Amino acid sequence: MIRMYILLGFAFLFFHLYITGELSQYINMRYAYISFSAMFVFAFLTIVQFVLASRSEEPHDHGEECCGHHHHEPSARWQRALNYLIFVFPLVSAFLFPVATLNSEVVKAKGIHVPGMASDSSDPFAQRQFLRPDTSMYYGRDDYQNAMEKELKKYSRLARLELNDQNYLNAMETIYQFPGEFAARGIEFTGFVYREETARANEAFLLRFGIIHCVADSGVYGLLLQFPKTVPVHNDEWIRVKGTLSTMYYQPFHMTIPYVNVTSWERVAKPKEPYVYRQFNE
């Protein structure tokens, strides 16, 4: 019966995540159908396990020999208990610990840097950590270049880039891949502020946490802002900015990066869905 309750727990967990919308904190919602299907699979397996457990509990006449059953196997019991705990632990964790939204404290803890900014870096995992989304590891070299050229054609036609929840990561990756193509182009987007202690008084990063496939490959992505004067913004404040794109050699990173010359900005409420997700065109 323990197996049945564990399976029932997983079925209820997926149902809970799907109904409450917390599933979006773990995976790109493009793949939500997989979790939705898993809910029914676990429910079906729960029923199967219930039937099997009911049959095993029916009375049997074992006689004297017990047909080869072993009643003195304490080590086997401990192994079974350990196996059950492995499955129970994620259930207990999911229900007892609240889902935490990532914020500037995560950026501060790891330090904001952009190792492997070049698209041909030998460490593809380092490319996705901060600022620049990079999906090159999911493509062959030529396929990735073709995909980026398609994105460039899409966004280069626009007189002004307006980033939203749907196009944020795609547009951001295109900007970092072809920064010179967007020089002097207008841009408008929303994010939370991250300002390093050593940053200039008129500089800050505007970021959003994004998920490419699942939380395991999540990162924080955005652009450096340069305000015309010192502004009273603080870490984790959500603002919306308008400005023009340009490039500069940023000394802390020892490389040239795109940035935004801010012309106007305003404080906004934290969005209901603070994460953004990578869209993949079929």
Side-chain angles (χ1 to χ4, degrees):
M1 294 295 287
I2 297 178
R3 295 178 182 177
M4 185 197 73
Y5 289 123
I6 291 175
L7 290 168
L8 180 62
F10 276 105
F12 181 76
L13 173 61
F14 279 94
F15 175 77
H16 171 76
L17 293 176
Y18 192 85
I19 293 298
T20 60
E22 292 180 357
L23 184 63
S24 64
Q25 306 295 306
Y26 296 97
I27 64 170
N28 189 328
M29 291 304 290
R30 169 188 174 89
Y31 308 107
Y33 69 93
I34 298 177
S35 297
F36 189 72
S37 301
M39 178 176 63
F40 291 99
V41 171
F42 280 117
F44 173 74
L45 293 176
T46 300
I47 296 172
V48 171
Q49 190 61 42
F50 175 77
V51 173
L52 294 176
S54 299
R55 289 179 179 177
S56 65
E57 291 179 358
E58 293 178 359
H60 296 283
D61 184 9
H62 295 288
E64 297 292 334
E65 297 183 356
C66 266
C67 301
H69 288 243
H70 302 285
H71 297 284
H72 304 286
E73 299 179 356
S75 61
R77 292 195 187 99
W78 278 107
Q79 289 175 358
R80 287 197 296 270
L82 181 59
N83 290 336
Y84 289 143
L85 284 174
I86 292 173
F87 290 99
V88 170
F89 179 75
L91 290 174
V92 174
S93 301
F95 288 117
L96 293 185
F97 299 107
V99 178
T101 302
L102 301 176
N103 56 28
S104 66
E105 289 301 316
V106 178
V107 185
K108 184 177 180 180
K110 292 186 176 182
I112 189 162
H113 53 89
V114 194
M117 177 72 80
S119 61
D120 59 351
S121 170
S122 59
D123 184 1
F125 291 95
Q127 298 176 29
R128 304 195 317 275
Q129 294 303 306
F130 296 102
L131 295 187
R132 172 186 178 173
D134 193 334
T135 57
S136 60
M137 66 179 297
Y138 304 109
Y139 297 87
R141 182 181 294 272
D142 293 338
D143 292 336
Y144 178 71
Q145 190 63 31
N146 291 336
M148 285 293 95
E149 288 177 357
K150 289 181 180 179
E151 295 287 346
L152 177 61
K153 291 180 181 179
K154 175 181 177 181
Y155 293 109
S156 62
R157 293 197 301 262
L158 303 177
R160 183 179 186 83
L161 299 177
E162 186 171 349
L163 277 55
N164 53 41
D165 291 355
Q166 286 69 43
N167 67 12
Y168 187 96
L169 289 184
N170 296 61
M172 197 65 68
E173 184 170 8
T174 308
I175 292 170
Y176 274 99
Q177 185 72 14
F178 307 100
E181 298 290 337
F182 296 96
R185 189 74 53 90
I187 188 171
E188 179 178 354
F189 70 111
T190 300
F192 69 88
V193 173
Y194 175 71
R195 172 173 278 166
E196 293 184 298
E197 296 178 357
T198 58
R200 296 177 182 176
N202 69 326
E203 288 184 348
F205 289 96
L206 193 61
L207 310 169
R208 291 194 71 167
F209 278 95
I211 293 177
I212 296 177
H213 287 103
C214 67
V215 72
D217 59 24
S218 63
V220 58
Y221 310 109
L223 292 164
L224 176 69
L225 306 179
Q226 277 199 344
F227 297 91
K229 59 182 181 179
T230 303
V231 292
V233 293
H234 306 284
N235 284 356
D236 292 323
E237 280 190 314
W238 284 79
I239 65 173
R240 185 166 185 84
V241 301
K242 296 179 181 179
T244 56
L245 284 163
S246 188
T247 59
M248 66 179 293
Y249 184 81
Y250 192 60
Q251 184 62 37
F253 295 166
H254 304 293
M255 61 179 64
T256 300
I257 64 171
Y259 74 101
V260 179
N261 274 312
V262 178
T263 55
S264 64
W265 67 279
E266 61 178 339
R267 290 183 174 88
V268 296
K270 179 181 178 179
K272 182 178 179 181
E273 177 52 77
Y275 290 8
V276 288
Y277 307 91
R278 183 62 159 82
Q279 306 297 320
F280 290 91
N281 298 322
E282 302 295 343

